[in-house]
Amino acid sequence: MRKARYTPAYCEAQYNVRAAIPEHPRIFERWKEASEEARRTLPCALEVAYGDGPSEALDIFAARDGSRALLTFLHGGFWRALDKSDFSFLARPFVERGVAVAVVNYALAPAVTVETIVRQMLAAHAWLYRNCGRYGAPRDRIYVSGHSAGAQLTAMMLAAEWPAYARGLPEDLVKGGLAVSGVFDLEPLLHVSFNSDMRLDARSVRKLSPINYRPRRVVPLYTAVGSDESEEFRRQNRLIAARWEHCFRRDIPMPGCHHLSVIERLGDPGSALFAGALELMNLR
């Protein structure tokens, strides 16, 4: 029954976020301005390389009065748009609460595949484990967060078998994750127009869908999705909770939020999403 409704028209309507949110250019401009201010006014190290590629860099925002944890943020854009510099604004409330923040970049499709992007995120987190102490962040308290495509990447980091990835890495390199408005079953994306950039096929969908993995250890997972998002994004959110029941801790209700406004709440110290992120890190 589910597969029968996955027509191109249905999937386009469910996943084409920019078409569904006509005011998205103003939202992106707001993020850009707030992020520029954050980089001007917060202590940070910018364009820190975690690999050799031109997009393999991250921005680290130092925690105020010492770091109690390190939170990474992986941006969305269906692996084909946006940039870490659009999300610097999320760092401010965390650094004020003693959490260092690393906003991570990756190369974009169609120049690279989604599988390559997953590998870049593995490399970034391995680099942070080995090097975050230089920036005052504790390597034994690394948490990951992400939005949309970044939530898929977040889940893949939770499922990663770190000792198999590289010698010397602990099994629990990532201590927990917050996945906001994620895509965990990539099959519907085979039918969207912008798959011409992502280049997903049946093989890559199987390999890159987090629902096809079950983390071997119990790693806490928090989720969130806006009440005003499409049924598919809400289904995706329910699906990862059901498939990863041993890891799932709770969903954070986000009433009145659509796919873009929901992630702004992560940078709002008065929001339930910000409070949930602190709860994930045992900092409330």
Side-chain angles (χ1 to χ4, degrees):
M1 179 69 70
R2 192 194 74 176
K3 290 180 182 296
R5 78 167 185 250
Y6 280 162
T7 64
Y10 177 82
C11 293
E12 193 76 14
Q14 292 289 306
Y15 289 100
N16 193 330
V17 173
R18 296 192 184 194
I21 306 174
E23 68 273 24
H24 69 264
R26 293 192 297 276
I27 295 172
F28 292 159
E29 186 61 28
R30 183 166 70 237
W31 294 357
K32 179 181 178 181
E33 292 174 359
S35 292
E36 288 173 349
E37 181 184 10
R39 293 192 296 275
R40 284 196 308 268
T41 58
L42 295 175
C44 54
L46 304 178
E47 299 297 335
V48 179
Y50 66 81
D52 297 329
S55 297
E56 294 177 342
L58 48 85
D59 297 339
I60 303 179
F61 295 83
R64 181 173 296 176
D65 301 324
S67 177
R68 299 189 289 167
L70 171 63
L71 179 68
T72 66
F73 179 76
L74 315 181
H75 72 80
F78 282 111
W79 310 277
R80 60 194 276 272
L82 302 178
D83 184 88
K84 64 177 172 54
S85 63
D86 296 314
F87 295 93
S88 305
F89 73 93
L90 296 176
R92 185 177 300 278
F94 288 102
V95 301
E96 292 175 351
R97 293 293 295 269
V99 177
V101 175
V103 188
V104 187
N105 238 20
Y106 49 83
L108 299 176
V112 300
T113 64
V114 177
E115 182 172 350
T116 294
I117 294 169
V118 171
R119 293 183 183 279
Q120 288 179 323
M121 294 303 92
L122 292 168
H125 286 81
W127 186 93
L128 282 165
Y129 176 78
R130 297 178 180 121
N131 296 281
C132 68
R134 302 179 193 174
Y135 304 93
R139 72 176 189 173
D140 61 345
R141 286 187 51 77
I142 298 175
Y143 295 83
V144 57
S145 65
H147 174 235
S148 195
Q152 179 264 351
L153 297 170
T154 293
M156 295 297 277
M157 296 306 100
L158 299 184
E161 297 184 11
W162 294 102
Y165 174 72
R167 182 178 301 174
L169 297 181
E171 184 179 18
D172 63 344
L173 188 153
V174 172
K175 297 299 192 289
L178 170 61
V180 182
S181 303
V183 182
F184 310 107
D185 168 16
L186 274 58
E187 182 184 359
L189 301 183
L190 293 172
H191 308 290
V192 298
S193 61
F194 46 93
N195 192 37
S196 58
D197 284 345
M198 299 181 298
R199 293 179 287 153
L200 295 169
D201 57 24
R203 184 204 66 83
S204 60
V205 159
R206 287 193 299 272
K207 189 171 186 178
L208 299 170
S209 292
I211 61 165
N212 293 332
Y213 296 88
R214 180 180 172 87
R216 290 169 58 171
R217 65 187 181 89
V218 177
V219 52
L221 170 66
Y222 283 57
T223 63
V225 68
S227 66
D228 295 347
E229 298 199 51
S230 72
E231 169 53 31
E232 270 295 287
F233 277 108
R234 288 181 280 125
R235 179 189 71 84
Q236 295 270 2
N237 197 61
R238 295 190 300 269
L239 184 59
I240 193 67
R243 293 291 181 89
W244 287 20
E245 78 287 346
H246 65 307
C247 295
F248 179 68
R249 289 297 177 268
R250 73 178 182 92
D251 183 65
I252 303 165
M254 298 303 296
C257 291
H258 58 55
H259 190 75
L260 299 181
S261 61
V262 67
I263 197 57
E264 292 181 310
R265 302 301 191 270
L266 187 60
D268 175 1
S271 76
L273 192 57
F274 179 77
L278 293 183
E279 181 182 310
L280 167 70
M281 296 182 284
N282 299 306
L283 295 178
R284 290 196 67 185

